[in-house]
Amino acid sequence: MLIDFKEKTAPERYHLMASAVIPRPIAWIATQGEVLNIAPFSYFTPLSSEPATLIVSIGHRADGTPKDTLRNLRESKKCVVCIVDEEHFEAMHMSSKGLDASQSEVEMFDIQTQEVIEGFPPMPEGIKIAFFCEYLQEVALKGSKTIPVIVEIKHLYLDEKIITDKEKIRLEFSSIARVGRGYTTLDESITAPEIP
């Protein structure tokens, strides 16, 4: 089967892409605006190691206005990108609910937070991996309602409990990822053959 994307609507293309690009990591992003905002995004990935950057695609609200995460990033220039494990799965999923800009997911869903680095937003307590980032730039996509935002990593937080080798900084961590419209954990690894 060959699918011509010109013949598909944007929602149909989203469904096809979300079903085929799997698993997709989840960026649970904390930004500070009128209130502390924490929201998940699954169109997210590392972009480069020089400069150390991540890219996340942020949509707009139904009325066309920027989502709180995008507005806060544009204004404050800082965010904390958290990687989610099973401990935070329910809170992360609940925080995807659209709230008014004056409402905080932290209060609405009783998410306990901790400040790790002064000047950056607090992150949910117990997070094992978090990137402390600064807004770098946006990518203009003609005709898109989604804004790809590039953030530069300034600090990486790792919970000591997931570090299995401090010298080489090896980690043992099972994150939550999106598969289509559902979620999965990444528990099983496979060994690649030697390349001759």
Side-chain angles (χ1 to χ4, degrees):
M1 175 184 287
L2 186 61
I3 298 171
D4 187 342
F5 266 35
K6 291 193 299 288
E7 297 173 358
K8 298 295 179 184
T9 65
E12 288 171 334
R13 290 193 296 266
Y14 171 83
H15 171 72
L16 290 166
M17 292 169 66
S19 297
V21 181
I22 56 172
R24 300 189 320 278
I26 299 168
W28 199 21
I29 303 180
T31 57
Q32 186 68 56
E34 182 180 344
V35 296
L36 179 61
N37 176 267
I38 300 179
F41 298 88
S42 66
Y43 268 33
F44 155 72
T45 195
L47 182 62
S48 173
S49 54
E50 186 55 49
T53 48
L54 306 169
I55 188 165
V56 59
S57 291
I58 305 174
H60 282 75
R61 293 176 177 273
D63 65 4
T65 59
K67 285 189 174 181
D68 297 336
T69 301
L70 180 58
R71 188 191 65 251
N72 293 346
L73 261 173
R74 286 171 169 168
E75 292 173 4
S76 75
K77 308 296 187 200
K78 294 192 176 174
C79 68
V80 181
V81 178
C82 304
I83 306 300
V84 181
D85 59 5
E86 286 189 75
E87 177 185 346
H88 297 91
F89 171 66
E90 186 176 327
M92 176 277 296
H93 180 68
M94 297 302 287
S95 72
S96 66
K97 179 180 173 67
L99 300 178
D100 186 78
S102 63
Q103 296 177 297
S104 173
E105 293 80 5
V106 170
E107 294 175 9
M108 183 71 68
F109 305 113
D110 193 30
I111 301 170
Q112 301 302 306
T113 62
Q114 64 184 52
E115 184 178 302
V116 176
I117 299 177
E118 187 178 349
F120 283 88
M123 68 180 196
E125 279 185 3
I127 284 292
K128 310 294 189 303
I129 300 174
F131 297 93
F132 290 78
C133 304
E134 292 182 359
Y135 173 97
L136 189 61
Q137 71 184 78
E138 294 178 20
V139 179
L141 287 180
K142 186 177 178 181
S144 179
K145 294 180 181 177
T146 301
I147 308 291
V149 180
I150 300 171
V151 294
E152 185 172 2
I153 302 166
K154 296 299 182 180
H155 305 277
L156 169 60
Y157 169 84
L158 298 172
D159 187 310
E160 298 281 339
K161 292 191 284 274
I162 68 167
I163 301 172
T164 58
D165 183 331
K166 287 192 177 182
E167 188 176 315
K168 295 181 180 176
I169 311 187
R170 296 195 188 206
L171 311 176
E172 188 172 306
F173 177 73
S174 180
S175 63
I176 300 284
R178 291 302 302 259
V179 175
R181 292 178 179 258
Y183 297 94
T184 189
T185 57
L186 304 179
D187 285 330
E188 186 178 345
S189 61
I190 59 175
T191 303
E194 288 289 326
I195 298 174

